[in-house]
Amino acid sequence: MTRLSRRPLAWAIVVLVVAVAGGVVLIPRLSGPDLPGTASEQVISVDSSTRTALTATADHFLETDPVRNEGNYLAAAQSVLHPRMFCEEDLIEVRRKDARLLVGLVARCEELARSGDKLVSGTGYCVPLLLTMESVNGRFAVRHVDEPADGAEYASSTRALFSPEGAPRAIELAGAGWDMENSIYPEARRTFGLPPDARVVLS
């Protein structure tokens, strides 16, 4: 998983890179149209209510799963702040495999906490994921999560998670990063009882 563990030294390096190069690439930027997916399961159509339920299930899982979030920086270094993970997801496709659903999406997650009148940012990531879900008593449950490998294997492993049409979209969305100010930060400010213009600082 492409994960950004933010610490003061790392942030200083990022600032320097931004000043010199004018930008930071969070994950490998790849040419989407040239990278069709290789997953063979058929993409299925889902209605809006099912799509909403699948996205909500993914969101809750990514924000609260203790195993997935056990390495979060703020939780380890500043637990007194009671940080939590905030996520948003772009659902790309749904495929069926036996009785289970394969839900392909791009997740953007950020670990945040309140410190006085500010939001403190910790671990964050933006990554394509394939969540295996099944219906249990009328609700969806996540049974497994697959994600691409880092480095040279990123492209091929991402393609394996998505259909021919889905992989280019996943790579495009993940490569574009995200605008936290228009998505996760407003939710975090409301959750922590902060005003809409509360500053965000890196831990």
Side-chain angles (χ1 to χ4, degrees):
M1 174 173 60
T2 301
R3 182 178 289 268
L4 306 179
S5 295
R6 292 170 170 169
R7 296 174 174 79
L9 177 60
W11 177 236
I13 294 172
V14 168
V15 171
L16 178 61
V17 171
V18 171
V20 174
V24 177
V25 178
L26 297 182
I27 65 173
R29 290 183 179 270
L30 303 167
S31 176
D34 297 329
L35 296 166
T38 58
S40 60
E41 300 89 1
Q42 182 178 4
V43 176
I44 64 173
S45 296
V46 295
D47 58 33
S48 59
S49 61
T50 302
R51 186 180 185 89
T52 298
L54 292 171
T55 303
T57 299
D59 189 73
H60 179 74
F61 175 82
L62 295 174
E63 289 183 350
T64 62
D65 180 59
V67 175
R68 185 170 185 84
N69 294 310
E70 65 180 354
N72 288 350
Y73 175 66
L74 286 179
Q78 300 188 49
S79 60
V80 67
L81 297 179
H82 303 292
R84 55 161 289 187
M85 186 68 81
F86 292 84
C87 297
E88 71 168 9
E89 301 80 22
D90 281 314
L91 196 155
I92 295 171
E93 65 185 18
V94 180
R95 309 194 307 272
R96 186 177 298 280
K97 185 174 183 179
D98 301 324
R100 295 185 171 185
L101 297 179
L102 304 178
V103 181
L105 53 82
V106 171
R108 305 166 186 87
C109 296
E110 187 86 7
E111 184 193 21
L112 295 164
R114 176 174 180 167
S115 179
D117 61 352
K118 300 181 291 295
L119 275 179
V120 180
S121 172
T123 300
Y125 61 86
C126 177
V127 66
L129 297 172
L130 183 67
L131 277 61
T132 301
M133 299 189 192
E134 66 178 351
S135 179
V136 180
N137 298 324
R139 294 177 177 271
F140 291 109
V142 176
R143 298 307 188 200
H144 186 70
V145 181
D146 290 296
E147 56 192 275
D150 288 329
E153 296 181 5
Y154 175 81
S156 60
S157 56
T158 300
R159 294 173 65 195
L161 300 181
F162 291 88
S163 69
E165 297 77 16
R169 180 62 175 157
I171 292 170
E172 177 186 7
L173 287 173
W178 73 100
D179 182 0
M180 307 297 287
E181 196 60 52
N182 290 325
S183 55
I184 294 176
Y185 291 164
E187 178 189 354
R189 291 185 180 103
R190 291 191 300 269
T191 298
F192 291 123
L194 289 168
D197 59 349
R199 288 195 304 126
V200 181
V201 298
L202 295 177
S203 56

